[in-house]
Amino acid sequence: MVVVTTIRKVNDDLIMRAQKIAAFLNTKYVPRRKEGISKIKERYNADVALVVKSNQLILDLPEGEMFFHPNMAQVRIKRLRYGGNDNMLDAMQVKKGMKILDCTLGFAADAIVSSYGVGENGKIVGLEVNPLISLVVKEGLKTYLPTNYDLKAAMNNIEVINQDYLSFLKAQPDNSFDIVYFDPMFRHALLDSKNLSPLRQLADNRPVSPEAIEQAKRVAKYRVVFKENSRSLEFARLGFEKICGGKYAPIHYGVIDV
C-alpha cells in the first residue's frame, strides 16, 4: 500500500497538492500532524510513503528514500561539453534533431544525456510503467534547478509517459522514432549500483521479450539499442549481435541496425 503525506512544515497549498496527488494515484492522503513517516507507514500498514514538498516529491521505501536528481547525467553532460564522448550516445549514433524513445525511463539519467545529444530540435519520449516513479520523475524534471543551462534544457525536452513499453510500441506507426532504447534493470546487478537498491523495489523486473524487440525494430527508423551488464546473456537471447562499449567496461550496448 502507498500513502501520500507532506513534510511537517505545511501550508494549505501543500495540503491541496498532496490531496490531488493522492487522488491521481487512487490512494490515501494522510495529514502529517508532526508524526514521523515510519509511524504513519506502520499505522496504515503501508510499504511506501510519498512525501510532498514544495519543490520535490520523495518516496520513502523500505530500503531508503528516493527522489529525483540528475545524478551521473550532469557529470556525463559536463564531459560532453568539454569535448569528451559518451558510450551510450556513441552506440546510438545520436544526431541533432533526432526523436528517441526511451522504453525504460527509470530516474531518467540516460534520457537526460540523450536529450542533450539530440539538442533543442530533437525530442525524447520516456516510458515508465510504475506510476510512482513516473510521477516523481515527471515532477522532478520540471522543478529541479540545475547549475547550468544545458542540463536544464535537456531536462525540459523529455516527455514522460506512464505506460508499459510493449503496449506503447504496438500502438506506434512504423518508423515513428529514430532510435528505440532499452535500459532494463540488469539481470545481474553490478556491485557498484547499491545506490539503486531502493529503485529495485519499484522497478519492472520482467525481462525484455523478443516480441518487444521486434516491435522496436518496426518502430525505429535507424536502430534499436539495448543496455546491459557486459557479462549478460540477454544480448544473445534477444538477437543483439553487434555489441558496443569499452573492452573492460562493466556496461555494454547491444545494437540492431534497422
Side-chain angles (χ1 to χ4, degrees):
M1 180 180 173
V2 179
V3 294
V4 178
T5 189
T6 63
I7 55 174
R8 285 190 170 94
K9 191 174 181 180
V10 72
N11 55 43
D12 290 342
D13 288 341
L14 204 59
I15 291 172
M16 186 176 297
R17 184 167 176 241
Q19 290 172 335
K20 286 182 178 179
I21 289 172
F24 173 77
L25 294 172
N26 194 28
T27 194
K28 187 174 184 61
Y29 163 72
V30 179
R32 184 65 182 269
R33 297 197 182 100
K34 299 183 180 180
E35 193 172 15
I37 297 298
S38 59
K39 290 291 185 183
I40 290 175
K41 289 168 67 176
E42 182 180 349
R43 180 152 53 91
Y44 289 93
N45 196 27
D47 298 314
V48 180
L50 179 61
V51 183
V52 180
K53 300 176 66 175
S54 59
N55 61 346
Q56 190 180 51
L57 300 179
I58 300 174
L59 288 171
D60 189 289
L61 305 164
E63 289 195 24
E65 288 186 346
M66 290 218 73
F67 50 88
F68 175 80
H69 190 281
N71 291 315
M72 286 301 295
Q74 56 190 344
V75 177
R76 292 164 65 186
I77 287 176
K78 183 177 181 180
R79 185 188 307 129
L80 289 164
R81 290 172 66 200
Y82 284 93
N85 74 305
D86 186 88
N87 287 341
M88 181 192 73
L89 295 186
D90 291 344
M92 287 183 176
Q93 292 189 354
V94 166
K95 295 179 176 62
K96 298 294 184 185
M98 277 186 163
K99 186 178 182 183
I100 296 175
L101 176 64
D102 187 328
C103 288
T104 49
L105 183 66
F107 268 67
D110 283 347
I112 294 170
V113 177
S114 296
S115 182
Y116 176 81
V118 301
E120 60 182 7
N121 293 322
K123 182 68 179 178
I124 307 296
V125 175
L127 306 178
E128 176 49 55
V129 68
N130 186 285
L132 291 174
I133 298 175
S134 175
L135 180 63
V136 169
V137 173
K138 188 173 184 177
E139 290 290 314
L141 288 168
K142 290 189 293 187
T143 60
Y144 182 84
L145 297 176
T147 56
N148 67 79
Y149 171 80
D150 289 330
L151 182 56
K152 183 60 178 173
M155 289 165 55
N156 287 343
N157 203 23
I158 299 171
E159 179 184 359
V160 179
I161 298 176
N162 175 213
Q163 187 175 347
D164 73 279
Y165 52 76
L166 183 56
S167 65
F168 185 89
L169 285 166
K170 285 181 175 180
Q172 304 311 303
D174 294 356
N175 304 320
S176 50
F177 288 85
D178 294 301
I179 298 164
V180 177
Y181 178 73
F182 293 87
D183 173 20
M185 196 60 77
F186 294 154
R187 298 289 91 201
H188 302 286
L190 298 174
L191 293 176
D192 60 355
S193 62
K194 292 180 181 178
N195 61 317
L196 294 178
S197 292
L199 177 58
R200 291 180 182 279
Q201 299 169 72
L202 299 177
D204 182 3
N205 291 309
R206 293 173 298 174
V208 175
S209 67
E211 181 185 9
I213 299 300
E214 288 303 312
Q215 287 292 333
K217 288 160 63 176
R218 178 185 63 79
V219 170
K221 190 179 297 184
Y222 296 114
R223 56 178 37 188
V224 178
V225 178
F226 185 86
K227 176 183 178 180
E228 249 291 356
N229 186 324
S230 59
R231 302 186 302 274
S232 176
L233 300 178
E234 291 292 278
F235 296 118
R237 181 179 71 84
L238 295 171
F240 288 89
E241 297 179 356
K242 182 177 179 180
I243 309 297
C244 301
K247 183 177 180 181
Y248 301 107
I251 294 171
H252 281 172
Y253 299 87
V255 174
I256 296 175
D257 290 311
V258 294

